[in-house]
């Protein structure tokens, strides 16, 4: 992973001391709330319903065991013993005392972490495939390019005050596992007719109040032109994006207003002044950043050793976990393990300090000291020998990490909702738990198969409800919490925005609505047909009739 040089260390240390002084002046009454707000937001500090919330950047979801132990220490020392993994592959602490936040930032700096640009109208944490570098179907390891984008965008003077926040995602595989089509800029690796690898550039995607799937404005961008082209896109957005209305300020609104073709033409005009300029990536530049992401010292192993295959046959629970919570690896004899943070009764994405310590220990003992945070809010051990999987599973069970539900209905992607967030219209955590309890039968859950369920407490869509096969949105009706259900959303290569099926539900009725939807799916599905495929084939009307019918 990327290692700070002396300039990086000095920059982050100085930033911490600046914020320490700003916080002191605010607490002493020398800065007003209005004066302090932009300063705290530039350091990832929000004011939430009950306490400040600190959002810490985990660049492209890449963590060392040392960094995870530091996050555990922070959770235990400065918070209430846990953190919350987000859909931008960051971690949030919901209960820090304001006066101690500078101390937290100083502790983070010790392990090359910070909270810069996790808030505000700037380029946020670039996200990528959580299996980058180990996926068997990868064209290109996107992490080096994510790091290049991070270096380019951090404290970029021209793009520090954009019309609105700006999110970039990179996918290095044929299958898009980074949701590139719902980002301000999505970079999806493709090969051209000559077999060269480059990026398809997708612009203007996003969720929130106006959910839109992005439009491709360049089918193939050679990798050396990455930064000059990003400069061109951001310049066009910075110049023409609206600043008079924050609800109309995202780049997706600009692309829609201009039309994708006109926006692309503006970008090409701007790029003509930048192409082949000083920001063009040289081979040695890319090689420098790629050198931080070289393969670890994998052993030459045979696939399917007895230590793996024997318990796979004799222990059905282990076999279920392997089927749902492990992924194929480019290196024979290894697999990636997804540690599920979706145990019933636990807020989705929450991880305790004890779990962080345990996962860090396993990363050292069974891997190469590395972990990943997935945008689905789970934690990943990227490199585990197949011969170690049975022991890892047993340890994961002891620590509440082994629920075999990855990709199933109860693997709910969920924002903190009204229990914490001051923007939320409704609570998400108790409703998510009620759904998990309703579908707690693993045999039935496995029979239902792959289903993406996403839950947002408000229109800001931090839980990405628009692209859930089933989405839930918390809404406010005369001061009461209600829940709107959407069907048909999806991410990946076939990204689609889900559609609302009808009037919203009271909290107690949401699990029953889910049950009716699942019952109809089981009745209507064809052999081998996934839930989203059935929804696409038969449409929403049968689901509406079933959910709202009095007799069912």
């Amino acid at each position: 992973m990327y290692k700070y040089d002396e300039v990086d260390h000095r920059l982050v240390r100085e930033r911490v001391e600046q914020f320490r002084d700003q916080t002191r002046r605010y607490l002493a009454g020398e800065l007003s709330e209005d004066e302090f707000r932009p300063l705290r937001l530039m350091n990832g500090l929000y004011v939430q319903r009950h306490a400040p919330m600190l959002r810490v950047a985990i660049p492209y979801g890449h963590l060392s065991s040392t960094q995870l132990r530091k996050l555990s220490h922070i959770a235990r020392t400065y918070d209430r013993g846990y953190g919350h993994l987000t859909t931008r592959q960051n971690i949030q602490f919901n209960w820090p005392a304001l006066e101690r936040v500078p101390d937290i930032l100083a502790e983070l700096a010790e392990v090359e972490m910070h909270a810069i640009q996790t808030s505000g109208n700037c380029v946020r944490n670039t996200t990528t495939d959580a299996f980058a570098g180990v996926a068997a179907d990868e064209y290109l390891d996107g992490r080096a390019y994510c790091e290049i984008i991070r270096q380019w965008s951090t404290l970029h003077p021209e793009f520090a005050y954009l019309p609105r926040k700006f999110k970039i995602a990179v996918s290095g595989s044929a299958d898009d596992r980074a949701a590139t089509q719902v980002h301000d800029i999505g970079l999806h690796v493709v090969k051209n007719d000559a077999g060269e690898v480059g990026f398809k550039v997708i612009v203007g995607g996003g969720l929130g109040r106006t959910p839109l799937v992005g439009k491709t404005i360049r089918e193939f961008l050679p990798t050396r032109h990455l930064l000059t082209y990003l400069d061109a896109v951001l310049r066009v957005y910075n110049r023409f994006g609206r600043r008079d209305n924050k609800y109309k300020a995202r780049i997706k609104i600009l692309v829609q207003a201009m039309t994708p073709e006109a926006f692309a033409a503006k970008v090409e005009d701007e790029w003509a002044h930048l192409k082949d300029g000083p920001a063009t990536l040289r081979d040695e530049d890319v090689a420098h950043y790629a050198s931080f992401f070289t393969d670890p010292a994998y052993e030459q192993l045979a696939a399917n050793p007895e230590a793996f295959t024997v318990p796979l046959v004799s222990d059905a629970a282990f076999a279920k976990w392997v089927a749902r919570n492990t992924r194929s690896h480019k290196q024979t004899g290894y697999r990636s393990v997804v540690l599920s943070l979706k145990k019933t009764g636990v807020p989705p994405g929450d991880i305790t300090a004890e779990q962080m310590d345990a996962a860090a220990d396993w990363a050292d003992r069974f891997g190469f000291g590395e972990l990943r945070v997935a945008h689905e809010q789970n934690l990943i051990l990227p490199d585990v020998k197949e011969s170690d999987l049975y022991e890892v599973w047993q340890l994961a069970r002891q620590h509440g990490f082994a629920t075999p539900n990855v990709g199933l209905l109860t693997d709910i992607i969920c924002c903190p909702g009204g229990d914490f967030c001051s923007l939320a219209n409704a609570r998400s955590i108790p409703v998510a738990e009620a759904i998990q309890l309703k579908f707690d039968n693993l045999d039935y859950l496995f029979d239902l198969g792959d289903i993406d369920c996403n839950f947002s407490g408000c229109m800001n869509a931090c839980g990405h409800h628009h692209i859930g096969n089933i989405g839930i949105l918390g809404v406010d009706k005369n001061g009461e919490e209600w829940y709107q259900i959407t069907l048909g959303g999806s991410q990946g290569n076939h990204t689609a925005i889900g559609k609302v099926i009808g009037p919203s539900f009271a909290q107690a009725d949401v699990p029953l609505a889910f049950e009716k939807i699942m019952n109809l799916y089981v009745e209507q599905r064809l052999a081998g047909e996934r839930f989203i495929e059935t929804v696409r084939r038969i449409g929403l009307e049968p689901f509406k009739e079933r959910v709202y019918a009095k007799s069912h």
Side-chain angles (χ1 to χ4, degrees):
M1 65 190 307
Y2 177 74
K3 299 294 183 187
Y4 280 22
D5 60 21
E6 179 48 35
V7 174
D8 298 321
H9 280 292
R10 187 167 67 246
L11 186 152
V12 174
R13 284 197 303 266
E14 290 177 354
R15 183 68 174 246
V16 170
E17 292 313 307
Q18 283 178 350
F19 188 63
R20 188 184 299 283
D21 185 57
Q22 291 158 357
T23 303
R24 180 195 62 74
R25 290 157 61 200
Y26 170 70
L27 292 173
E30 298 171 13
L31 290 177
S32 69
E33 179 60 48
D34 286 345
E35 289 170 325
F36 185 58
R37 183 183 301 112
L39 302 176
R40 64 173 169 76
L41 288 175
M42 284 191 285
N43 289 282
L45 187 64
Y46 289 74
V47 172
Q48 295 285 52
R49 191 175 297 272
H50 305 294
M53 180 274 282
L54 180 65
R55 181 180 294 152
V56 177
I58 300 176
Y60 31 93
H62 208 258
L63 269 175
S64 71
S65 56
T66 300
Q67 290 173 326
L68 187 57
R69 289 192 184 92
K70 177 62 77 174
L71 295 175
S72 164
H73 165 72
I74 289 169
R76 191 178 284 115
T77 306
Y78 299 93
D79 208 88
R80 295 189 176 180
Y82 69 96
H84 176 78
L85 302 183
T86 77
T87 52
R88 289 216 68 70
Q89 299 177 303
N90 293 320
I91 188 168
Q92 295 179 174
F93 294 105
N94 287 313
W95 301 97
L98 174 57
E99 62 272 20
R100 302 193 74 187
V101 170
D103 295 332
I104 298 175
L105 297 179
E107 296 238 26
L108 290 170
E110 292 175 1
V111 294
E112 304 183 348
M113 298 184 79
H114 59 69
I116 298 169
Q117 289 186 206
T118 58
S119 178
N121 295 332
C122 53
V123 180
R124 303 287 187 87
N125 188 29
T126 297
T127 53
T128 192
D129 179 6
F131 301 96
V134 298
D137 64 341
E138 196 167 69
Y139 289 161
L140 170 152
D141 184 347
R143 293 174 298 172
Y145 290 94
C146 288
E147 179 57 33
I148 289 170
I149 294 170
R150 189 179 77 91
Q151 297 266 345
W152 161 79
S153 63
T154 300
L155 303 180
H156 193 305
E158 188 176 348
F159 305 134
Y161 296 99
L162 294 167
R164 280 290 280 143
K165 58 188 173 184
F166 203 89
K167 301 175 180 179
I168 301 173
V170 178
S171 176
S173 303
D175 286 336
D176 175 12
R177 290 187 288 267
T180 59
Q181 296 187 46
V182 288
H183 278 74
D184 296 300
I185 296 179
L187 300 166
H188 192 177
V189 170
V190 291
K191 286 185 178 179
N192 64 11
D193 293 340
E196 298 168 323
V197 173
F199 293 110
K200 178 167 68 175
V201 182
I202 304 159
V203 171
L207 301 174
R209 292 173 183 272
T210 310
L212 291 169
V213 176
K215 304 297 182 184
T216 300
I217 63 167
R218 178 164 269 276
E219 292 287 350
F220 186 85
L221 178 72
T223 54
R224 68 182 180 279
H225 295 308
L226 174 65
L227 293 188
T228 56
Y229 200 80
L230 291 179
D231 271 324
V233 174
L234 268 292
R235 283 187 175 182
V236 171
Y237 172 51
N238 216 9
R239 180 180 178 188
F240 294 103
R242 290 181 60 173
R243 294 175 186 268
D244 61 321
N245 182 341
K246 72 175 185 178
Y247 301 118
K248 302 290 184 183
R250 296 290 294 268
I251 193 174
K252 60 188 174 185
I253 303 298
L254 179 64
V255 173
Q256 191 179 41
M258 278 186 168
T259 74
E261 294 76 16
F263 183 87
K266 289 281 188 188
V267 171
E268 293 294 320
D269 287 346
E270 184 64 35
W271 192 40
H273 302 291
L274 301 168
K275 187 180 179 184
D276 296 320
T280 303
L281 294 172
R282 302 168 300 175
D283 289 345
E284 52 265 43
D285 298 325
V286 176
H288 170 72
Y289 289 105
S291 70
F292 295 102
F293 304 99
T294 55
D295 284 348
Y298 292 124
E299 296 178 35
Q300 297 302 311
L301 303 171
N304 300 316
E306 283 190 5
F308 173 52
T309 55
V310 170
L312 200 60
V313 173
S314 62
D315 194 326
F318 174 62
K320 283 186 175 179
W321 178 79
V322 169
R324 299 307 317 188
N325 293 38
T326 72
R327 293 287 182 275
S328 60
H329 198 289
K330 69 179 183 182
Q331 185 70 22
T332 302
Y334 286 82
R335 295 185 76 87
S336 298
V337 169
V338 182
L339 300 173
S340 172
L341 297 178
K342 311 297 175 60
K343 182 180 179 181
T344 299
V346 177
D350 276 10
I351 179 169
T352 67
E354 291 72 23
Q355 286 179 312
M356 293 185 217
D357 284 336
D361 290 345
W362 303 339
D364 288 335
R365 180 179 169 191
F366 299 107
F368 300 92
E370 179 189 314
L371 305 101
R372 312 287 179 83
V373 175
H375 77 86
E376 292 89 353
Q377 299 175 293
N378 290 314
L379 195 61
I380 290 164
L381 299 171
D383 307 293
V384 179
K385 295 177 191 173
E386 289 179 336
S387 56
D388 288 332
L389 285 174
Y390 194 60
E391 186 173 1
V392 170
W393 171 66
Q394 291 172 312
L395 291 168
R397 291 181 83 183
Q398 294 172 18
H399 288 81
F401 271 136
T403 308
N405 64 347
V406 173
L408 301 178
L409 180 60
T410 58
D411 185 15
I412 300 173
I413 296 173
C414 184
C415 73
D419 286 302
F420 297 99
C421 180
S422 57
L423 299 176
N425 292 321
R427 290 173 295 168
S428 53
I429 292 171
V431 181
E433 181 181 353
I435 294 168
Q436 289 173 324
L437 287 169
K438 187 76 175 178
F439 295 91
D440 204 29
N441 182 318
L442 276 178
D443 290 335
Y444 183 50
L445 203 58
F446 269 66
D447 179 61
L448 293 175
D450 293 338
I451 301 175
D452 294 336
C453 179
N454 296 54
F455 195 156
S456 301
C458 74
M459 284 303 295
N460 289 309
C462 293
H464 296 177
H465 65 279
H466 297 295
I467 54 171
N469 302 159
I470 303 180
I472 311 174
L473 169 65
V475 295
D476 177 89
K477 283 188 177 181
N478 300 319
E480 296 183 358
E481 297 179 5
W482 289 77
Y483 298 87
Q484 195 177 70
I485 294 179
T486 57
L487 291 180
S490 61
Q491 60 174 316
N493 293 6
H494 304 286
T495 297
I497 304 298
K499 295 181 179 177
V500 177
I501 62 170
S504 53
F505 299 88
Q507 179 177 327
D509 296 331
V510 174
L512 179 60
F514 266 57
E515 184 179 45
K516 291 178 179 178
I517 290 168
M518 289 303 117
N519 287 343
L520 183 71
Y521 161 56
V522 171
E523 293 167 15
Q524 294 291 326
R525 65 183 173 184
L526 302 177
E529 192 174 55
R530 294 181 300 140
F531 174 76
I532 185 62
E533 293 165 344
T534 300
V535 173
R536 289 170 180 159
R537 178 172 57 80
I538 70 176
L540 299 191
E541 284 304 319
F543 290 98
K544 292 180 182 179
E545 291 173 8
R546 176 64 60 89
V547 169
Y548 294 104
K550 300 291 185 186
S551 57
H552 287 282

